Amino acid sequence: MSTTVTVIPGDGIGPEVTEAALSLLDAAGAALEYDRQLGGIAAMDAVRDPLPQATLDSIRRNGVVLKGPMTTPAGSGFRSVNVAIRKEFDLYANVRPVWTLVPGQRYEDIDLVLIRENTEGLYVGVEHYIGLEGDPRAAAESVMIITRFGAERVVRYAFEYARANGRKKVTLAHKANILKCTQGLFLEVGETVAREYAGEIGFEARIIDATAMQLVKDPYVLDVLVMENMFGDILSDLMAGLVGGLGLAPAANIGADAAMFEAVHGSAPDIAGTGVANPTALCLAAAMMLDHLGKGGPAGRLRRTIHRTLEDPATRTRDVGGPATTAEFVAAAIRNLDR
Ligand code: NAI
Ligand code: MG
């Protein structure tokens, strides 16, 4: 029986990197059927809705999505479709691994995983303006929501991830010194969950700003990190920078009934349509999707060919110092599959 996954190409470089990922999935023997759906600006243009019902129905049917980045207007306009999908399907754990793929970056031998809480925190979108003395936007207010339920399941996910992947330590990054209730609750719950894993998986709590410094100064002391939504958004881009940039960083959004696989990067409007986008991030997300589907064989083949293709300076894309276009990278990765 063949497996069907929902595919949303997205905006900007989205369609370019999505086609690249689908070609490599097929070449690696993933044997998937693709249910192509619209989302983001592409959907706005076609059906005046950034997240059409047909797309939601498809995700509900298939339970697995491979998604290109989507453009979100800043300041005003429709809410992030990415955030909306994560909320709709309760994809509570955002798994963002980074490891060294291209030598000669800021560090060698990086191997880190950030688990970002994906449904609460500062990104719940509970915010408004406050009018004062004729200025309707004299002030603005956002709410950070942390629940015991939400904190517990994401910290537990981090420990279970560590257990399943032979990791040694979970670091919980927080700001409980200042945000005593919200971040304090996250920390308290984290410490409680950690006790269940004592003796098997190490645990430490670090303040978020000091964690950012630590990541840049000596990332080797860290292993698996877990934190609130916005902190995780920011630090996962920082971690991508440690290994060579956003072109290399995949992400999995995991819930009980559905999972969405995407790149950490956005739609990169500055290079969209020029054919130079690095498809590595989405291809590695596709490999995570294969693992999730129990297709470890093709997942391994896909990862190995990406590694080989990035090892050769001649087949690297521009963002990591090479001359290759997206299409040349894909052609090389297909050649490298059977090496
Ligand atoms: P971005 O990640 O799109 O781009 C940042 C920089 O990294 C740009 O210089 C871009 O050229 C480069 N870059 C990103 N991906 C690359 C790749 N695969 N290959 C080569 N270079 C790459 O972030 P930006 O510009 O802040 O956001 C653009 C749009 O994307 C915004 O509308 C934002 O809301 C959206 N976005 C969507 C995300 C998603 O769909 N999950 C995640 C992040 C941003
Ligand atoms: Mg981000």
Side-chain angles (χ1 to χ4, degrees):
M1 206 185 83
S2 77
T3 307
T4 304
V5 302
T6 300
V7 173
I8 308 174
D11 305 314
I13 62 169
E16 303 165 43
V17 293
T18 301
E19 286 318 309
L22 298 187
S23 311
L24 286 180
L25 277 169
D26 290 343
L32 298 173
E33 302 283 337
Y34 308 120
D35 179 3
R36 288 168 195 264
Q37 297 291 335
L38 292 171
I41 301 282
M44 270 305 260
D45 292 346
V47 295
R48 310 292 323 146
D49 181 354
L51 184 55
Q53 190 59 43
T55 302
L56 290 171
D57 292 344
S58 166
I59 298 173
R60 212 171 298 283
R61 215 165 38 238
N62 299 317
V64 175
V65 193
L66 183 67
K67 189 189 72 61
M70 297 188 211
T71 299
T72 308
S76 58
F78 64 83
R79 273 196 70 199
S80 164
V81 174
N82 306 303
V83 174
I85 295 177
R86 291 170 189 159
K87 284 290 284 180
E88 175 74 21
F89 295 98
D90 200 23
L91 308 178
Y92 65 92
N94 192 330
V95 183
R96 298 186 154 189
V98 295
W99 67 97
T100 298
L101 287 151
V102 180
Q105 303 301 317
R106 208 161 290 272
Y107 290 101
E108 302 299 334
D109 302 320
I110 292 283
D111 184 10
L112 294 165
V113 183
L114 186 146
I115 314 283
R116 162 185 173 190
E117 200 294 318
N118 223 12
T119 57
E120 309 191 327
L122 258 181
Y123 286 6
V124 287
V126 179
E127 56 171 8
H128 57 251
Y129 292 106
I130 298 165
L132 256 185
E133 292 167 1
D135 179 358
R137 296 184 181 188
E141 185 173 60
S142 293
V143 178
M144 174 185 277
I145 293 176
I146 302 283
T147 66
R148 186 178 296 282
F149 171 79
E152 209 218 288
R153 66 177 175 173
V154 76
V155 174
R156 192 173 298 285
Y157 188 93
F159 276 98
E160 289 297 326
Y161 181 96
R163 178 178 270 170
N165 292 279
R167 298 274 175 167
K168 301 269 176 296
K169 182 173 79 173
V170 172
T171 299
L172 183 151
H174 66 87
K175 194 70 184 177
N177 49 329
I178 305 296
L179 300 169
K180 295 188 191 291
C181 295
T182 47
Q183 288 294 305
L185 178 59
F186 195 82
L187 174 60
E188 176 203 312
V189 170
E191 286 170 339
T192 306
V193 172
R195 273 183 226 120
E196 294 173 32
Y197 297 85
E200 185 190 352
I201 295 156
F203 175 74
E204 63 177 8
R206 286 176 187 257
I207 293 176
I208 186 70
D209 36 352
T211 308
M213 186 283 301
Q214 188 62 54
L215 274 167
V216 174
K217 189 157 178 260
D218 180 13
Y220 302 107
V221 304
L222 298 163
D223 186 355
V224 175
L225 299 99
V226 63
M227 62 198 72
E228 178 273 333
N229 206 335
M230 185 169 79
F231 293 165
D233 189 9
I234 297 169
L235 286 199
S236 54
D237 273 34
L238 184 151
M239 281 167 44
L242 296 177
V243 298
L246 286 169
L248 304 173
N253 300 268
I254 308 287
D257 307 316
M260 176 169 74
F261 300 84
E262 62 181 343
V264 170
H265 66 72
S267 55
D270 54 335
I271 57 165
T274 62
V276 299
N278 186 350
T280 296
L282 194 65
C283 290
L284 293 175
M288 293 174 87
M289 177 177 79
L290 292 176
D291 282 332
H292 176 83
L293 291 168
K295 291 176 179 272
R301 294 186 77 207
L302 183 49
R303 260 189 288 266
R304 277 193 300 279
T305 197
I306 297 285
H307 280 241
R308 286 177 193 139
T309 308
L310 288 169
E311 264 162 27
D312 181 355
T315 53
R316 290 179 195 149
T317 47
R318 201 175 69 183
D319 57 311
V320 283
T325 62
T326 312
E328 286 162 353
F329 180 92
V330 173
I334 290 173
R335 282 198 305 278
N336 289 338
L337 263 174
D338 301 311
R339 253 178 54 205

PDB file of all heavy atoms in Angstrom, residues 13 17 67-73 82 86 246-247 262-271 276-279 319, ligand 1:
ATOM      1  N   ILE A  13      11.192  30.897  -2.658  1.00  0.00           N
ATOM      2  CA  ILE A  13      11.977  29.731  -3.092  1.00  0.00           C
ATOM      3  C   ILE A  13      11.272  28.412  -2.789  1.00  0.00           C
ATOM      4  O   ILE A  13      11.771  27.345  -3.146  1.00  0.00           O
ATOM      5  CB  ILE A  13      13.394  29.711  -2.455  1.00  0.00           C
ATOM      6  CG1 ILE A  13      13.311  29.613  -0.916  1.00  0.00           C
ATOM      7  CG2 ILE A  13      14.223  30.906  -2.898  1.00  0.00           C
ATOM      8  CD1 ILE A  13      14.664  29.330  -0.246  1.00  0.00           C
ATOM      9  N   VAL A  17      12.621  24.629  -3.934  1.00  0.00           N
ATOM     10  CA  VAL A  17      13.217  23.628  -3.039  1.00  0.00           C
ATOM     11  C   VAL A  17      12.281  22.427  -2.860  1.00  0.00           C
ATOM     12  O   VAL A  17      12.739  21.311  -2.629  1.00  0.00           O
ATOM     13  CB  VAL A  17      13.653  24.225  -1.675  1.00  0.00           C
ATOM     14  CG1 VAL A  17      14.821  25.190  -1.863  1.00  0.00           C
ATOM     15  CG2 VAL A  17      12.515  24.897  -0.940  1.00  0.00           C
ATOM     16  N   LYS A  67       6.232  20.733   3.630  1.00  0.00           N
ATOM     17  CA  LYS A  67       5.817  22.104   3.346  1.00  0.00           C
ATOM     18  C   LYS A  67       7.000  23.006   3.018  1.00  0.00           C
ATOM     19  O   LYS A  67       7.973  23.047   3.769  1.00  0.00           O
ATOM     20  CB  LYS A  67       5.083  22.661   4.573  1.00  0.00           C
ATOM     21  CG  LYS A  67       4.405  23.989   4.334  1.00  0.00           C
ATOM     22  CD  LYS A  67       3.899  24.595   5.615  1.00  0.00           C
ATOM     23  CE  LYS A  67       5.019  25.100   6.463  1.00  0.00           C
ATOM     24  NZ  LYS A  67       5.848  26.156   5.857  1.00  0.00           N
ATOM     25  N   GLY A  68       6.898  23.731   1.922  1.00  0.00           N
ATOM     26  CA  GLY A  68       7.862  24.778   1.618  1.00  0.00           C
ATOM     27  C   GLY A  68       7.572  25.991   2.492  1.00  0.00           C
ATOM     28  O   GLY A  68       6.506  26.084   3.099  1.00  0.00           O
ATOM     29  N   PRO A  69       8.497  26.944   2.556  1.00  0.00           N
ATOM     30  CA  PRO A  69       8.269  28.144   3.367  1.00  0.00           C
ATOM     31  C   PRO A  69       7.154  29.003   2.781  1.00  0.00           C
ATOM     32  O   PRO A  69       6.910  28.982   1.579  1.00  0.00           O
ATOM     33  CB  PRO A  69       9.606  28.878   3.281  1.00  0.00           C
ATOM     34  CG  PRO A  69      10.236  28.385   2.017  1.00  0.00           C
ATOM     35  CD  PRO A  69       9.788  26.960   1.859  1.00  0.00           C
ATOM     36  N   MET A  70       6.480  29.730   3.644  1.00  0.00           N
ATOM     37  CA  MET A  70       5.418  30.637   3.194  1.00  0.00           C
ATOM     38  C   MET A  70       5.704  32.046   3.672  1.00  0.00           C
ATOM     39  O   MET A  70       6.129  32.252   4.799  1.00  0.00           O
ATOM     40  CB  MET A  70       4.084  30.179   3.762  1.00  0.00           C
ATOM     41  CG  MET A  70       3.685  28.821   3.259  1.00  0.00           C
ATOM     42  SD  MET A  70       2.029  28.517   3.794  1.00  0.00           S
ATOM     43  CE  MET A  70       2.076  26.779   3.982  1.00  0.00           C
ATOM     44  N   THR A  71       5.423  32.997   2.809  1.00  0.00           N
ATOM     45  CA  THR A  71       5.623  34.403   3.148  1.00  0.00           C
ATOM     46  C   THR A  71       4.516  34.867   4.092  1.00  0.00           C
ATOM     47  O   THR A  71       3.345  34.587   3.852  1.00  0.00           O
ATOM     48  CB  THR A  71       5.600  35.248   1.864  1.00  0.00           C
ATOM     49  OG1 THR A  71       6.671  34.793   1.026  1.00  0.00           O
ATOM     50  CG2 THR A  71       5.764  36.727   2.162  1.00  0.00           C
ATOM     51  N   THR A  72       4.898  35.548   5.160  1.00  0.00           N
ATOM     52  CA  THR A  72       3.918  36.135   6.074  1.00  0.00           C
ATOM     53  C   THR A  72       4.128  37.644   6.089  1.00  0.00           C
ATOM     54  O   THR A  72       5.238  38.099   6.375  1.00  0.00           O
ATOM     55  CB  THR A  72       4.099  35.589   7.510  1.00  0.00           C
ATOM     56  OG1 THR A  72       4.110  34.168   7.467  1.00  0.00           O
ATOM     57  CG2 THR A  72       2.990  36.071   8.420  1.00  0.00           C
ATOM     58  N   PRO A  73       3.081  38.406   5.781  1.00  0.00           N
ATOM     59  CA  PRO A  73       3.256  39.855   5.808  1.00  0.00           C
ATOM     60  C   PRO A  73       3.614  40.332   7.222  1.00  0.00           C
ATOM     61  O   PRO A  73       3.067  39.829   8.195  1.00  0.00           O
ATOM     62  CB  PRO A  73       1.890  40.407   5.375  1.00  0.00           C
ATOM     63  CG  PRO A  73       0.957  39.245   5.272  1.00  0.00           C
ATOM     64  CD  PRO A  73       1.717  37.991   5.430  1.00  0.00           C
ATOM     65  N   ASN A  82       1.964  29.160   8.822  1.00  0.00           N
ATOM     66  CA  ASN A  82       2.769  28.146   9.514  1.00  0.00           C
ATOM     67  C   ASN A  82       2.279  27.972  10.938  1.00  0.00           C
ATOM     68  O   ASN A  82       2.063  26.865  11.416  1.00  0.00           O
ATOM     69  CB  ASN A  82       4.237  28.567   9.539  1.00  0.00           C
ATOM     70  CG  ASN A  82       4.733  28.868   8.148  1.00  0.00           C
ATOM     71  OD1 ASN A  82       4.657  28.013   7.292  1.00  0.00           O
ATOM     72  ND2 ASN A  82       5.197  30.080   7.926  1.00  0.00           N
ATOM     73  N   ARG A  86       0.341  24.710  12.713  1.00  0.00           N
ATOM     74  CA  ARG A  86       0.861  24.110  13.953  1.00  0.00           C
ATOM     75  C   ARG A  86      -0.222  24.097  15.023  1.00  0.00           C
ATOM     76  O   ARG A  86      -0.363  23.136  15.774  1.00  0.00           O
ATOM     77  CB  ARG A  86       2.080  24.910  14.452  1.00  0.00           C
ATOM     78  CG  ARG A  86       3.301  24.766  13.553  1.00  0.00           C
ATOM     79  CD  ARG A  86       4.392  25.755  13.926  1.00  0.00           C
ATOM     80  NE  ARG A  86       5.468  25.771  12.951  1.00  0.00           N
ATOM     81  CZ  ARG A  86       6.322  26.782  12.786  1.00  0.00           C
ATOM     82  NH1 ARG A  86       6.213  27.864  13.548  1.00  0.00           N
ATOM     83  NH2 ARG A  86       7.271  26.713  11.893  1.00  0.00           N
ATOM     84  N   LEU A 246      21.018  29.017   7.042  1.00  0.00           N
ATOM     85  CA  LEU A 246      19.647  28.508   7.010  1.00  0.00           C
ATOM     86  C   LEU A 246      19.424  27.471   5.911  1.00  0.00           C
ATOM     87  O   LEU A 246      18.499  26.668   5.994  1.00  0.00           O
ATOM     88  CB  LEU A 246      18.680  29.673   6.820  1.00  0.00           C
ATOM     89  CG  LEU A 246      18.474  30.554   8.065  1.00  0.00           C
ATOM     90  CD1 LEU A 246      17.720  31.822   7.705  1.00  0.00           C
ATOM     91  CD2 LEU A 246      17.745  29.774   9.156  1.00  0.00           C
ATOM     92  N   GLY A 247      20.255  27.487   4.895  1.00  0.00           N
ATOM     93  CA  GLY A 247      20.097  26.522   3.806  1.00  0.00           C
ATOM     94  C   GLY A 247      20.290  25.083   4.252  1.00  0.00           C
ATOM     95  O   GLY A 247      19.992  24.151   3.507  1.00  0.00           O
ATOM     96  N   GLU A 262       9.453  20.690   7.340  1.00  0.00           N
ATOM     97  CA  GLU A 262       9.754  21.920   6.600  1.00  0.00           C
ATOM     98  C   GLU A 262      11.199  22.314   6.851  1.00  0.00           C
ATOM     99  O   GLU A 262      11.895  21.691   7.634  1.00  0.00           O
ATOM    100  CB  GLU A 262       8.803  23.041   7.054  1.00  0.00           C
ATOM    101  CG  GLU A 262       8.959  23.392   8.525  1.00  0.00           C
ATOM    102  CD  GLU A 262       8.014  24.484   9.035  1.00  0.00           C
ATOM    103  OE1 GLU A 262       7.440  25.212   8.222  1.00  0.00           O
ATOM    104  OE2 GLU A 262       7.873  24.590  10.254  1.00  0.00           O
ATOM    105  N   ALA A 263      11.633  23.376   6.177  1.00  0.00           N
ATOM    106  CA  ALA A 263      12.938  23.959   6.452  1.00  0.00           C
ATOM    107  C   ALA A 263      12.768  24.991   7.559  1.00  0.00           C
ATOM    108  O   ALA A 263      11.686  25.518   7.769  1.00  0.00           O
ATOM    109  CB  ALA A 263      13.476  24.624   5.189  1.00  0.00           C
ATOM    110  N   VAL A 264      13.853  25.292   8.274  1.00  0.00           N
ATOM    111  CA  VAL A 264      13.798  26.376   9.264  1.00  0.00           C
ATOM    112  C   VAL A 264      13.675  27.724   8.539  1.00  0.00           C
ATOM    113  O   VAL A 264      13.030  28.645   9.026  1.00  0.00           O
ATOM    114  CB  VAL A 264      15.054  26.340  10.178  1.00  0.00           C
ATOM    115  CG1 VAL A 264      15.148  27.589  11.044  1.00  0.00           C
ATOM    116  CG2 VAL A 264      15.040  25.087  11.061  1.00  0.00           C
ATOM    117  N   HIS A 265      14.249  27.803   7.353  1.00  0.00           N
ATOM    118  CA  HIS A 265      14.284  29.088   6.648  1.00  0.00           C
ATOM    119  C   HIS A 265      12.922  29.506   6.105  1.00  0.00           C
ATOM    120  O   HIS A 265      11.982  28.714   6.010  1.00  0.00           O
ATOM    121  CB  HIS A 265      15.323  29.076   5.525  1.00  0.00           C
ATOM    122  CG  HIS A 265      15.036  28.123   4.385  1.00  0.00           C
ATOM    123  ND1 HIS A 265      14.032  28.342   3.469  1.00  0.00           N
ATOM    124  CD2 HIS A 265      15.645  26.971   4.018  1.00  0.00           C
ATOM    125  CE1 HIS A 265      14.041  27.361   2.576  1.00  0.00           C
ATOM    126  NE2 HIS A 265      15.001  26.502   2.891  1.00  0.00           N
ATOM    127  N   GLY A 266      12.836  30.768   5.710  1.00  0.00           N
ATOM    128  CA  GLY A 266      11.629  31.322   5.122  1.00  0.00           C
ATOM    129  C   GLY A 266      11.682  31.299   3.603  1.00  0.00           C
ATOM    130  O   GLY A 266      12.468  30.548   2.999  1.00  0.00           O
ATOM    131  N   SER A 267      10.860  32.130   2.979  1.00  0.00           N
ATOM    132  CA  SER A 267      10.668  32.085   1.535  1.00  0.00           C
ATOM    133  C   SER A 267      11.779  32.793   0.746  1.00  0.00           C
ATOM    134  O   SER A 267      11.754  32.810  -0.476  1.00  0.00           O
ATOM    135  CB  SER A 267       9.306  32.678   1.187  1.00  0.00           C
ATOM    136  OG  SER A 267       9.190  33.981   1.722  1.00  0.00           O
ATOM    137  N   ALA A 268      12.735  33.394   1.458  1.00  0.00           N
ATOM    138  CA  ALA A 268      13.927  34.012   0.841  1.00  0.00           C
ATOM    139  C   ALA A 268      13.593  34.814  -0.413  1.00  0.00           C
ATOM    140  O   ALA A 268      14.110  34.522  -1.498  1.00  0.00           O
ATOM    141  CB  ALA A 268      14.980  32.936   0.541  1.00  0.00           C
ATOM    142  N   PRO A 269      12.765  35.856  -0.291  1.00  0.00           N
ATOM    143  CA  PRO A 269      12.379  36.623  -1.482  1.00  0.00           C
ATOM    144  C   PRO A 269      13.575  37.225  -2.217  1.00  0.00           C
ATOM    145  O   PRO A 269      13.511  37.433  -3.435  1.00  0.00           O
ATOM    146  CB  PRO A 269      11.454  37.721  -0.929  1.00  0.00           C
ATOM    147  CG  PRO A 269      11.606  37.686   0.560  1.00  0.00           C
ATOM    148  CD  PRO A 269      12.094  36.333   0.935  1.00  0.00           C
ATOM    149  N   ASP A 270      14.677  37.441  -1.493  1.00  0.00           N
ATOM    150  CA  ASP A 270      15.862  38.046  -2.138  1.00  0.00           C
ATOM    151  C   ASP A 270      16.485  37.159  -3.201  1.00  0.00           C
ATOM    152  O   ASP A 270      17.167  37.655  -4.102  1.00  0.00           O
ATOM    153  CB  ASP A 270      16.909  38.464  -1.078  1.00  0.00           C
ATOM    154  CG  ASP A 270      17.310  37.324  -0.126  1.00  0.00           C
ATOM    155  OD1 ASP A 270      16.511  36.379   0.057  1.00  0.00           O
ATOM    156  OD2 ASP A 270      18.422  37.379   0.427  1.00  0.00           O
ATOM    157  N   ILE A 271      16.271  35.840  -3.125  1.00  0.00           N
ATOM    158  CA  ILE A 271      16.874  34.958  -4.142  1.00  0.00           C
ATOM    159  C   ILE A 271      15.822  34.137  -4.900  1.00  0.00           C
ATOM    160  O   ILE A 271      16.170  33.311  -5.745  1.00  0.00           O
ATOM    161  CB  ILE A 271      17.930  34.003  -3.529  1.00  0.00           C
ATOM    162  CG1 ILE A 271      17.322  33.138  -2.405  1.00  0.00           C
ATOM    163  CG2 ILE A 271      19.141  34.776  -3.014  1.00  0.00           C
ATOM    164  CD1 ILE A 271      18.216  31.953  -2.026  1.00  0.00           C
ATOM    165  N   VAL A 276      19.118  29.585  -7.320  1.00  0.00           N
ATOM    166  CA  VAL A 276      20.337  29.314  -6.539  1.00  0.00           C
ATOM    167  C   VAL A 276      20.048  28.830  -5.115  1.00  0.00           C
ATOM    168  O   VAL A 276      20.971  28.595  -4.336  1.00  0.00           O
ATOM    169  CB  VAL A 276      21.266  30.558  -6.457  1.00  0.00           C
ATOM    170  CG1 VAL A 276      21.718  30.983  -7.846  1.00  0.00           C
ATOM    171  CG2 VAL A 276      20.599  31.716  -5.715  1.00  0.00           C
ATOM    172  N   ALA A 277      18.775  28.675  -4.770  1.00  0.00           N
ATOM    173  CA  ALA A 277      18.443  28.267  -3.395  1.00  0.00           C
ATOM    174  C   ALA A 277      19.060  26.914  -3.074  1.00  0.00           C
ATOM    175  O   ALA A 277      19.113  26.024  -3.925  1.00  0.00           O
ATOM    176  CB  ALA A 277      16.931  28.190  -3.223  1.00  0.00           C
ATOM    177  N   ASN A 278      19.499  26.781  -1.844  1.00  0.00           N
ATOM    178  CA  ASN A 278      20.019  25.508  -1.371  1.00  0.00           C
ATOM    179  C   ASN A 278      18.837  24.645  -0.924  1.00  0.00           C
ATOM    180  O   ASN A 278      18.134  24.995   0.019  1.00  0.00           O
ATOM    181  CB  ASN A 278      20.968  25.760  -0.191  1.00  0.00           C
ATOM    182  CG  ASN A 278      21.669  24.503   0.274  1.00  0.00           C
ATOM    183  OD1 ASN A 278      21.332  23.397  -0.143  1.00  0.00           O
ATOM    184  ND2 ASN A 278      22.649  24.675   1.141  1.00  0.00           N
ATOM    185  N   PRO A 279      18.614  23.501  -1.564  1.00  0.00           N
ATOM    186  CA  PRO A 279      17.473  22.662  -1.182  1.00  0.00           C
ATOM    187  C   PRO A 279      17.766  21.722  -0.024  1.00  0.00           C
ATOM    188  O   PRO A 279      16.909  20.923   0.359  1.00  0.00           O
ATOM    189  CB  PRO A 279      17.195  21.867  -2.465  1.00  0.00           C
ATOM    190  CG  PRO A 279      18.537  21.725  -3.108  1.00  0.00           C
ATOM    191  CD  PRO A 279      19.341  22.950  -2.728  1.00  0.00           C
ATOM    192  N   ASP A 319      25.182  29.706  -1.135  1.00  0.00           N
ATOM    193  CA  ASP A 319      25.123  30.089   0.286  1.00  0.00           C
ATOM    194  C   ASP A 319      26.206  29.412   1.117  1.00  0.00           C
ATOM    195  O   ASP A 319      26.569  29.902   2.181  1.00  0.00           O
ATOM    196  CB  ASP A 319      23.732  29.775   0.866  1.00  0.00           C
ATOM    197  CG  ASP A 319      23.370  28.298   0.712  1.00  0.00           C
ATOM    198  OD1 ASP A 319      23.532  27.780  -0.408  1.00  0.00           O
ATOM    199  OD2 ASP A 319      22.950  27.677   1.694  1.00  0.00           O
TER     200      ASP A 319
HETATM  201  P1  NAI B   1      14.541  33.778   5.133  1.00  0.00           P
HETATM  202  O1  NAI B   1      14.874  32.561   5.922  1.00  0.00           O
HETATM  203  O2  NAI B   1      13.572  33.633   4.040  1.00  0.00           O
HETATM  204  O3  NAI B   1      15.901  34.393   4.544  1.00  0.00           O
HETATM  205  C1  NAI B   1      16.982  34.853   5.349  1.00  0.00           C
HETATM  206  C2  NAI B   1      18.268  34.859   4.514  1.00  0.00           C
HETATM  207  O4  NAI B   1      18.711  33.504   4.309  1.00  0.00           O
HETATM  208  C3  NAI B   1      18.080  35.457   3.125  1.00  0.00           C
HETATM  209  O5  NAI B   1      19.237  36.168   2.784  1.00  0.00           O
HETATM  210  C4  NAI B   1      17.921  34.246   2.225  1.00  0.00           C
HETATM  211  O6  NAI B   1      18.355  34.446   0.916  1.00  0.00           O
HETATM  212  C5  NAI B   1      18.793  33.208   2.936  1.00  0.00           C
HETATM  213  N1  NAI B   1      18.272  31.848   2.714  1.00  0.00           N
HETATM  214  C6  NAI B   1      17.181  31.306   3.320  1.00  0.00           C
HETATM  215  N2  NAI B   1      16.971  30.076   2.856  1.00  0.00           N
HETATM  216  C7  NAI B   1      17.934  29.824   1.946  1.00  0.00           C
HETATM  217  C8  NAI B   1      18.237  28.701   1.109  1.00  0.00           C
HETATM  218  N3  NAI B   1      17.498  27.569   1.134  1.00  0.00           N
HETATM  219  N4  NAI B   1      19.294  28.790   0.268  1.00  0.00           N
HETATM  220  C9  NAI B   1      20.032  29.899   0.233  1.00  0.00           C
HETATM  221  N5  NAI B   1      19.820  30.981   1.010  1.00  0.00           N
HETATM  222  C10 NAI B   1      18.755  30.959   1.854  1.00  0.00           C
HETATM  223  O7  NAI B   1      14.023  34.857   6.195  1.00  0.00           O
HETATM  224  P2  NAI B   1      13.297  36.273   5.946  1.00  0.00           P
HETATM  225  O8  NAI B   1      13.874  36.933   4.754  1.00  0.00           O
HETATM  226  O9  NAI B   1      13.365  36.918   7.249  1.00  0.00           O
HETATM  227  O10 NAI B   1      11.783  35.897   5.694  1.00  0.00           O
HETATM  228  C11 NAI B   1      11.175  35.846   4.407  1.00  0.00           C
HETATM  229  C12 NAI B   1       9.735  35.405   4.546  1.00  0.00           C
HETATM  230  O11 NAI B   1       9.664  34.048   4.982  1.00  0.00           O
HETATM  231  C13 NAI B   1       8.905  36.203   5.544  1.00  0.00           C
HETATM  232  O12 NAI B   1       7.652  36.456   4.973  1.00  0.00           O
HETATM  233  C14 NAI B   1       8.772  35.268   6.738  1.00  0.00           C
HETATM  234  O13 NAI B   1       7.594  35.493   7.470  1.00  0.00           O
HETATM  235  C15 NAI B   1       8.737  33.926   6.056  1.00  0.00           C
HETATM  236  N6  NAI B   1       9.176  32.807   6.913  1.00  0.00           N
HETATM  237  C16 NAI B   1       8.502  31.626   6.769  1.00  0.00           C
HETATM  238  C17 NAI B   1       8.893  30.510   7.470  1.00  0.00           C
HETATM  239  C18 NAI B   1       8.155  29.234   7.246  1.00  0.00           C
HETATM  240  O14 NAI B   1       7.420  29.091   6.269  1.00  0.00           O
HETATM  241  N7  NAI B   1       8.296  28.249   8.102  1.00  0.00           N
HETATM  242  C19 NAI B   1      10.024  30.551   8.410  1.00  0.00           C
HETATM  243  C20 NAI B   1      10.702  31.823   8.448  1.00  0.00           C
HETATM  244  C21 NAI B   1      10.271  32.916   7.723  1.00  0.00           C
END
